[in-house]
């Protein structure tokens, strides 16, 4: 067993130990199993990353999984530039979230179970990113979805939590159905699921078409869009974004790890991984770019008016994921993954900070009843502020570099790119606005909660603040590896990704690059300034504005009524059909008709036949006599012939 | 010399009497006697044919039938006695326990 195999197996071992012996033996010491395992994975991931830096790209099979005719699938690992970065993201954030959970989940009765699931998730996510074939990717893809379901519904006694878990799982089914079809089509078209063979033969798809509803459609477009379906579900893009805000019912460390930093970015990773395939279809690329752009705008506008601290961050996550797809859609896969990398740190930090706030507020989530927390939670405040500055794109912090890279490459990429760039710039302003609205409402001003809550306010324990500070370092510094040339850097990350993700051609001038950067910084600053005016300078203004623009405000507050629309369009017809067609007709009439009808028929026949059994000996005698006569008659007729 | 036809005719008449008696009489005792009548009608036929065909197998069969008839009479009468003790009747219309 080599180091690469050990990398995912360590968390798996921790999962098995904790799920089997957690309740009886480890109990509140469960983290002593889980944390060393994920720390070991982190060290191995660093080693793998350094190996890739030295040019050691690994692609090896460790086990032959399925052989059936010419269908052959292995379990294997591909460690290239893309995977190396993902390994760092997954293991580092996972490690910090594990540590944070010691404090956050303290005294929870499912303590061991929580760590077991976190370990299982880490294992699944590592299998997903390290895979060297599509089926193993699909395995990891479904396994992280399963862990997400377990962890959203972690407090399953709560109806809303178990509902949210189911919703996440079911909504993902829609996307994964397309993804599964995409995997099958790739196998049918190229005869293999191994990345190496797929990418070697991908050019042979050029010009091939298939007939869809009688129209010839480019095969590569169909495959790319089907794969993108999976990404839309997993990464909560329109129209399958509805599960992510509800997923906030899960414990906050889960929101940070799964629903911000790692699992939801699996879609972006997958699109980046399959960039040779996506790049071949302009339609698919434009779909990806526009889906990303529209989602990022859509979610950012919702985040403007929400009052639940975790939901604001959740919509922000959807919006930032849209950014990443926008980047992939304009061919800037490297920039997309770069944003994934920086986003993982500042968004995990925002979530963990929100968790720290909830901890202090005894579970309170409504920012209207917070205020002035800066004084009570200094570490949380400063780290939260750093993350917000980073996401708002303040120059020098991580979010600025990755966002700027995306906007710059979008600007370069034709008409769709220009639309994406404009949307992205607007979203940058909105992002800055809602992030600072959250800061001002929660941390500044005076406390608006109950007296009891105020009395209880306290900074979180060390196990929680240490991960916050560590992530804050990431939120500041993670972007420096991508410092663009105009700022005196070398865009190291862009060159690092070039072997796998390529680099889109840049035609515009340095002057334009300065302009793009300036506009995005200015829009971020405008957003921050506006939120300062509205929530600090003149706190009466927001209510007045909401009153003036009541229509828009209500629509945004209700998240564009998407949930209600789905309820009306899908859920109600299905429950209606289930109740009135399946239950009333199929079940009650057809199935129960057969099940009850057969015995009833037999009973009826029996009722008739028992009449023959009169009990009178003479009747039996007559029967015998008649039978005898008939048999003899037949015998005579037969003999006569 | 009595021709074979007469024997067979006699046998048929006795057999018919047996059947009719079995079917129309309601007294179990009489019905058992009717069964004996049918068996003996067959015996007459068998003996006659045996003599006519100069084949002893017919007569051997008759001995077997007499044995079976004796056993049948013994068991039948035993059942009848215990039935009468329980029901105090030998009339078959009153004995319809087997009605379905």
């Amino acid at each position: 067993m080599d180091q690469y195999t050990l990398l995912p197996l360590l968390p798996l071992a921790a999962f098995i130990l904790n799920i089997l012996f957690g309740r009886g033996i480890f109990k509140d010491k469960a983290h002593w199993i889980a944390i060393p395992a994920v720390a070991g994975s982190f060290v191995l991931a660093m080693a793998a990353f350094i190996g890739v830096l030295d040019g050691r790209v690994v692609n090896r099979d460790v086990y032959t999984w399925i052989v059936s005719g010419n269908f052959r699938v292995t379990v294997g690992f591909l460690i290239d530039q893309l995977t190396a970065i993902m390994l760092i993201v997954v293991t580092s954030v996972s490690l910090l979230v594990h540590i944070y959970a010691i404090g956050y989940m303290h005294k929870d009765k499912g303590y061991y179970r929580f760590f077991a699931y976190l370990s299982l998730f880490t294992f699944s996510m590592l299998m997903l990113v390290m895979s060297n074939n599509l089926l193993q990717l699909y395995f990891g893809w479904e396994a992280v979805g399963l862990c997400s379901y377990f962890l959203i519904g972690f407090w399953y006694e709560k109806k809303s939590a178990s509902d949210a878990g189911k919703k996440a799982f079911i909504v993902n089914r829609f996307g994964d159905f397309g993804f599964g079809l995409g995997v099958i089509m790739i196998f049918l078209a190229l005869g293999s699921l191994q990345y190496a063979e797929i990418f070697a033969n991908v050019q042979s798809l050029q010009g091939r078409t298939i007939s869809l509803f009688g129209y010839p459609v480019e095969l590569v477009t169909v495959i790319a869009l089907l794969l993108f379906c999976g990404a839309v579900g997993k990464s909560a893009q329109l129209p399958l974004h509805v599960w992510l805000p509800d997923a906030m019912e899960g414990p906050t460390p889960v929101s940070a790890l799964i629903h911000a930093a790692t699992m939801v970015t699996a879609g972006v990773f997958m699109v980046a991984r399959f960039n040779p395939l996506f790049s071949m279809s302009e339609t698919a690329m434009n779909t990806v770019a526009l889906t990303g752009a529209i989602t990022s705008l859509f979610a950012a506008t919702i985040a403007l008016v929400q009052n639940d601290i975790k939901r604001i961050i959740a919509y922000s996550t959807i919006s930032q994921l849209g950014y990443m797809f926008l980047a992939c859609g304009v061919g800037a896969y490297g920039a997309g993954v770069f944003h994934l990398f920086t986003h993982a740190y500042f968004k995990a930090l925002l979530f963990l900070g929100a968790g720290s706030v909830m901890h202090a507020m005894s579970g309170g989530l409504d920012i209207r009843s917070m205020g002035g927390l800066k004084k009570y939670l200094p570490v949380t405040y400063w780290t939260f502020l750093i993350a917000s500055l980073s996401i708002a794109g303040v120059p020098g912090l991580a979010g600025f570099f990755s966002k700027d890279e995306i906007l710059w490459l979008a600007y370069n990429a034709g008409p769709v790119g220009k639309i994406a760039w404009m949307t992205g710039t607007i979203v940058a302003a909105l992002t800055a606005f809602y992030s600072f609205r959250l800061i001002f409402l929660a941390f500044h001003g005076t406390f608006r909660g109950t007296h009891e809550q105020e009395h209880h306010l306290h900074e979180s324990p060390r196990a929680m603040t240490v991960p916050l500070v560590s992530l804050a370092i990431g939120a500041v510094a993670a972007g420096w590896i991508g410092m663009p040339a105009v700022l005196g850097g070398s865009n190291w990350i862009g060159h690092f990704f070039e072997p796998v993700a390529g680099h889109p051609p840049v035609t515009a001038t340095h002057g334009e690059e300065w302009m793009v950067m300036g506009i995005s910084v200015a829009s971020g600053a405008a957003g921050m300034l506006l939120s300062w005016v509205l929530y600090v300078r003149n706190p009466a203004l927001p209510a007045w504005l909401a009153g003036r623009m009541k229509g828009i405000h209500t629509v945004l507050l209700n998240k564009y009524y998407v949930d209600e629309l789905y309820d009306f369009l899908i859920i109600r017809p299905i429950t209606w059909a289930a109740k009135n067609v399946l239950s009333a007709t199929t079940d009650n009439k057809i199935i129960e008709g057969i099940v009850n009808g057969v015995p009833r028929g037999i009973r009826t026949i029996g009722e008739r036949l028992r009449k023959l059994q009169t009990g009178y000996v003479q009747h039996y005698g007559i029967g015998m006599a008649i039978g005898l006569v008939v048999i003899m008659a037949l015998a005579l007729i037969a003999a006569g012939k | 010399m009595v021709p074979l036809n007469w024997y067979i005719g006699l046998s048929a008449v006795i057999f018919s009497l047996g059947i009719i008696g079995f079917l129309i009489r309601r007294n179990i005792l009489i019905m058992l006697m009717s069964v004996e009548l049918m068996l003996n009608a067959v015996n007459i036929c068998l003996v006659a044919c045996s003599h006519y065909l100069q084949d002893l197998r017919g007569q051997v069969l008759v001995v077997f039938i007499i044995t079976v008839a004796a056993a049948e009479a013994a068991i039948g009468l035993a059942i009848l006695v215990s039935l009468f003790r329980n029901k105090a009747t030998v009339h078959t219309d009153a004995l319809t326990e087997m009605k379905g």
Side-chain angles (χ1 to χ4, degrees), chain A residues 289-314:
Chain A
L290 290 177
T291 308
I294 294 168
T295 305
S296 79
L297 183 64
F298 173 86
T301 50
I302 296 176
L304 295 178
V305 298
Q306 296 298 310
N307 292 316
D308 179 318
I309 183 167
K310 279 183 79 180
R311 280 181 193 250
I312 296 175
I313 308 175

Side-chain angles (χ1 to χ4, degrees), chain A residues 345-356:
Chain A
Y345 294 105
F346 59 71
K347 190 50 63 67
L349 176 53
L350 284 175
F351 268 118
L352 295 186
S356 176

Side-chain angles (χ1 to χ4, degrees), chain A residues 166-191:
Chain A
K166 277 186 279 180
K167 185 171 176 181
F169 206 75
I170 293 167
V171 171
N172 267 299
R173 272 331 73 216
F174 285 87
D176 291 353
F177 181 68
F179 189 45
L181 285 181
V183 173
I184 293 167
M185 293 216 32
I186 286 191
F187 178 73
L188 289 180
L190 297 172

Side-chain angles (χ1 to χ4, degrees), chain A residues 610-611 613-622 624-625 628, chain B residues 15 19 22-26 31 92-93 95-96 98-100:
Chain A
R610 66 185 282 202
K611 301 254 164 60
Q613 204 81 356
T614 55
Y616 294 107
V617 186
Q618 272 77 19
H619 289 177
Y620 305 148
I622 289 174
M624 281 165 72
L628 199 64
Chain B
F15 190 84
I19 283 191
F22 183 82
L23 291 180
I24 64 173
R25 297 303 291 262
R26 292 291 186 264
M31 285 166 69
T92 55
D93 285 352
L95 300 172
T96 55
M98 293 297 282
K99 182 171 168 31

